[in-house]
Amino acid sequence: MRRTPGRRVLNGALIYLAVIAVAWCALLPILWAVSASLKSEGELLDATPLPAHPQWSNYADVFDAIPLGRMLLNTVIYAGCVTAGQVFFCSLAGYAFARLRFPGREALFLAYLATLMVPLTVTVIPQFLLMRALGWMDTPWSMIVPGLFGSAFGTYLMRQFFQTLPTELEEAATLDGCTPWQIYWRVLLPHARPAVMVLAVLTWITVWNDFLWPLIMIQRNEYATATLGLIRLQGQYSTNWPLLMSAAILLLLPLLLLYALAQRSFVKGIAMSGLGGR
Amino acid sequence: MSGPERGATGLLSGESAAGAEARPPAAERGRGRAGATALARRRARAGALFIAPNLAAVAVFLLFPLGFSLYLSFHSWDLFSAPRFVGMDNYRRLFTADPLFYIALRNTAVFTVLTLVPTVVISLAIAALLNRKLAGIAVFRTIAFLPLVASTVAMAVVFRFIFASDDGLLNRMLGWIGLGPVPWLTDPDWALVSLSLVTVWKSVPFATVILLAAMQGVPENLYEAAQIDGAGAFRRFRSITVPLIRGALSFVFVITIINSVQAFDQAYALTGSNGGPETGTYVLGIMLFQNAFRFYEVGYASALAWVIFAILLVLTLIQLRLSRRAEADL
């Protein structure tokens, strides 16, 4: 109102400056790691933002130093199995909690809600003992089975979503003689794609970035995850920064790509569920 | 089928339920209700069946561990001999005989404050900034939220490089503005600050997403009305935005505290499994890990886990009460 055009331009410029500064803070560590991953050890001491002679061989050397290819493949397998299991069993249970009446439903759901509060620190020791008793330590089973049949969080998320779907969808199917399974599989699940995407992406990221659980479960490199590989590399070659940064980028890159692709629904999902990475 | 019709057949079939099988026509008419109860029964069975695998998983990997860890916390167990009941000894040892516990408690408290305050202040400012309608704002949002997906461990390793003593990026940047090098990871006090820095970098985007989503739910006309009344941008933010996103703010508080009190990944990757230098980054998460998985003092570590749980519960309850009272004041 009272502002002159000059002031408005200045204001706009300041705001853009602030926004750029924020983006820069988010990006700088990653960009600096990319830059360092392409430097030679001698060049590392120079403050140049870009390496004069990019050493792409650093990335190949990581695979010689640790079996990172194997570790990345393991992580993909673990994340894939757990994600598929979470999506299937959580949506199935979420549908039951949202739409089917069965004895004890309300009490059970309250118990599920309560368990969302339990921190990892309380359950991790007995889970470790359980895996030891089953003889699953240092095997892929310990990485896959605990998450395979769903979680309280995923079920809660899917239930909330199913409750927003109109009941008319199922009523028509019921009159046509569909069983509850057919209603779930053919009618509701196709409508639940946004929620399924959110749960799948969140689960994938959690398994991909998980550290404490693989650290206490897995010794052998052939079953190790990529996060474990990075830590082991750090222990072995703490001074070879270019190598270490290459490994860190290799660990970050797949998720950054996933984020670039699924960014919109992912951010919406986090805001919607109010939960997410631990 | 319309309402009254369904009621009529229901009534009929109810009266003739006993002889329904003997009289085909009545049975035919009564199918509405009998069908409905059979359907309900079938749906109940399906419901129980559908949650069974999930329920089993939650029971085995969450509920059982919860109870078992409480049981363990009253026992002494080295994983090899039989567990021995020791009553409150583990808890007594924590509070009266283990100086490391108080070091871990103090470090965790300092770390939580050093993480919580910047996370809330910075994410509030960034959310307000990103809430503006600007050309290209979607691109800036995408970049600003990027750390959401970054692995804590990988970023801690990257930050270790940035903190690296004299020629690390951070010290070099400080040098440009004439400030001396800071012993980021070699001095115990600075190491805790460094740990907080990594954690803030990682947790600000999450808090920002939550706050931004809440801000976008604030009705536009409130701002317009305030502007007509002559309220400046900062006044509008303080008197409209902040009170209306109180729920989201309170959630951000609780989640940041929960994550800070349990912090482990970043401490392990940044300064190692011993919480060094000296005891500079010896936080509760590191103490739990060492006792449980290095020293195999399973009962003692379980007691520590329950103390951590209790701390989190108390803090959450306090936060809930405070935010509720603040709401009543409005």
Side-chain angles (χ1 to χ4, degrees):
Chain A
M1 282 175 281
R2 281 170 294 129
R3 281 186 196 161
T4 60
R7 267 197 70 178
R8 197 177 307 152
V9 170
L10 183 72
N11 233 333
L14 280 178
I15 287 167
Y16 268 108
L17 214 64
V19 178
I20 289 170
V22 168
W24 184 242
C25 286
L27 273 182
L28 184 65
I30 297 172
L31 292 180
W32 190 246
V34 171
S35 156
S37 74
L38 293 173
K39 286 178 176 175
S40 64
E41 276 199 88
E43 206 181 356
L44 200 66
L45 299 176
D46 304 334
T48 47
L50 286 175
H53 308 286
Q55 307 273 314
W56 295 101
S57 57
N58 286 337
Y59 281 87
D61 292 347
V62 176
F63 290 90
D64 293 334
I66 49 164
L68 190 65
R70 173 82 221 185
M71 289 161 170
L72 284 168
L73 179 70
N74 288 341
T75 316
V76 168
I77 293 171
Y78 302 155
C81 290
V82 173
T83 302
Q86 287 278 333
V87 165
F88 177 68
F89 287 109
C90 290
S91 63
L92 195 62
Y95 160 61
F97 274 122
R99 289 299 164 78
L100 302 172
R101 304 207 156 275
F102 51 89
R105 184 180 79 160
E106 306 308 317
L108 260 181
F109 188 67
L110 271 181
Y112 267 56
L113 274 183
T115 58
L116 289 180
M117 292 271 301
V118 178
L120 178 72
T121 34
V122 181
T123 51
V124 73
I125 296 170
Q127 282 178 0
F128 163 84
L129 297 173
L130 189 65
M131 293 294 122
R132 211 179 70 116
L134 291 168
W136 284 353
M137 278 185 67
D138 222 3
T139 73
W141 301 117
S142 64
M143 297 302 301
I144 294 172
V145 176
L148 192 62
F149 298 103
S151 62
F153 164 69
T155 304
Y156 172 73
L157 188 82
M158 293 308 298
R159 175 198 180 258
Q160 297 305 90
F161 185 83
F162 279 127
Q163 282 202 324
T164 65
L165 293 179
T167 43
E168 286 81 25
L169 276 174
E170 304 145 76
E171 276 163 10
T174 311
L175 287 181
D176 288 345
C178 280
T179 62
W181 166 261
Q182 287 167 327
I183 292 173
Y184 158 74
W185 187 250
R186 290 212 210 129
V187 182
L188 288 182
L189 200 56
H191 278 92
R193 189 167 290 170
V196 163
M197 272 285 293
V198 167
L199 180 59
V201 171
L202 285 180
T203 309
W204 185 281
I205 290 173
T206 307
V207 180
W208 186 273
N209 291 338
D210 200 5
F211 176 60
L212 176 59
W213 187 246
L215 180 69
I216 61 179
M217 279 298 126
I218 306 291
Q219 300 295 325
R220 276 182 281 184
N221 270 346
E222 58 176 311
Y223 298 137
T225 60
T227 44
L228 277 185
L230 184 64
I231 288 297
R232 287 177 189 170
L233 188 69
Q234 171 168 271
Q236 284 168 20
Y237 301 89
S238 55
T239 47
N240 192 338
W241 286 113
L243 210 60
L244 210 50
M245 290 304 106
S246 306
I249 294 300
L250 284 170
L251 188 61
L252 290 173
L253 203 59
L255 283 196
L256 296 187
L257 289 178
L258 177 73
Y259 172 74
L261 287 176
Q263 181 261 130
R264 204 169 281 265
S265 61
F266 172 64
V267 169
K268 200 186 292 164
I270 289 199
M272 198 175 80
S273 61
L275 280 149
R278 251 178 263 166
Chain B
M1 210 188 274
S2 69
E5 222 180 323
R6 189 190 286 169
T9 43
L11 201 69
L12 267 178
S13 74
E15 278 169 351
S16 59
E21 284 146 43
R23 291 189 316 199
E28 190 81 347
R29 269 182 293 161
R31 208 165 59 185
R33 194 197 189 169
T37 51
L39 188 68
R41 220 178 307 123
R42 207 166 66 208
R43 283 166 65 88
R45 210 181 315 124
L49 203 66
F50 288 176
I51 64 152
N54 192 285
L55 182 64
V58 171
V60 171
F61 296 110
L62 205 61
L63 293 179
F64 164 73
L66 193 62
F68 195 54
S69 94
L70 189 61
Y71 166 87
L72 279 176
S73 75
F74 298 112
H75 290 73
S76 170
W77 194 21
D78 58 4
L79 289 180
F80 299 105
S81 48
R84 191 167 47 86
F85 180 76
V86 295
M88 295 298 289
D89 273 7
N90 286 328
Y91 293 94
R92 209 171 294 133
R93 184 175 145 204
L94 264 179
F95 286 102
T96 59
D98 194 343
L100 277 174
F101 173 65
Y102 286 101
I103 291 174
L105 206 58
R106 175 201 160 269
N107 283 345
T108 303
V110 173
F111 167 73
T112 301
V113 172
L114 283 180
T115 308
L116 180 69
V117 175
T119 298
V120 171
V121 172
I122 295 173
S123 60
L124 202 54
I126 295 181
L129 195 65
L130 294 178
N131 195 26
R132 289 169 171 266
K133 293 185 187 70
L134 290 178
I137 194 73
V139 177
F140 287 113
R141 279 185 198 157
T142 304
I143 297 174
F145 296 152
L146 197 100
L148 277 174
V149 297
S151 138
T152 308
V153 167
M155 286 321 296
V157 171
V158 168
F159 269 93
R160 224 168 68 98
F161 172 61
I162 290 171
F163 289 135
S165 341
D166 291 333
D167 18 72
L169 177 67
L170 219 52
N171 275 339
R172 220 179 267 154
M173 281 163 60
L174 285 178
W176 293 338
I177 53 170
L179 293 176
V182 169
W184 294 107
L185 293 175
T186 45
D187 178 86
D189 289 335
W190 276 109
L192 200 58
V193 174
S194 308
L195 190 65
S196 308
L197 260 173
V198 179
T199 312
V200 168
W201 184 85
K202 183 80 178 84
S203 60
V204 158
F206 175 71
T208 308
V209 168
I210 303 293
L211 295 178
L212 183 60
M215 282 181 191
Q216 293 191 327
V218 177
E220 198 70 34
N221 54 4
L222 284 180
Y223 292 114
E224 285 157 16
Q227 198 157 17
I228 290 168
D229 287 348
F234 185 71
R235 184 66 211 269
R236 290 200 298 272
F237 180 71
R238 215 195 53 184
S239 307
I240 300 174
T241 313
V242 173
L244 283 179
I245 61 165
R246 187 153 265 148
L249 257 177
S250 152
F251 177 74
V252 164
F253 257 91
V254 169
I255 285 292
T256 311
I257 289 175
I258 289 178
N259 287 336
S260 301
V261 172
Q262 296 195 79
F264 173 76
D265 293 11
Q266 60 270 54
Y268 190 103
L270 197 67
T271 53
S273 60
N274 296 321
E278 293 166 44
T279 53
T281 57
Y282 190 80
V283 288
L284 289 170
I286 291 282
M287 183 178 179
L288 183 96
F289 173 79
Q290 282 204 323
N291 279 297
F293 306 112
R294 286 286 176 270
F295 311 148
Y296 293 118
E297 293 220 42
V298 177
Y300 188 53
S302 298
L304 177 60
W306 274 86
V307 169
I308 296 175
F309 192 18
I311 293 173
L312 289 178
L313 273 183
V314 169
L315 288 178
T316 308
L317 288 178
I318 291 175
Q319 168 59 29
L320 275 180
R321 167 146 306 179
L322 283 181
S323 66
R324 209 166 282 158
R325 188 184 308 152
E327 231 157 275
D329 286 345
L330 274 177

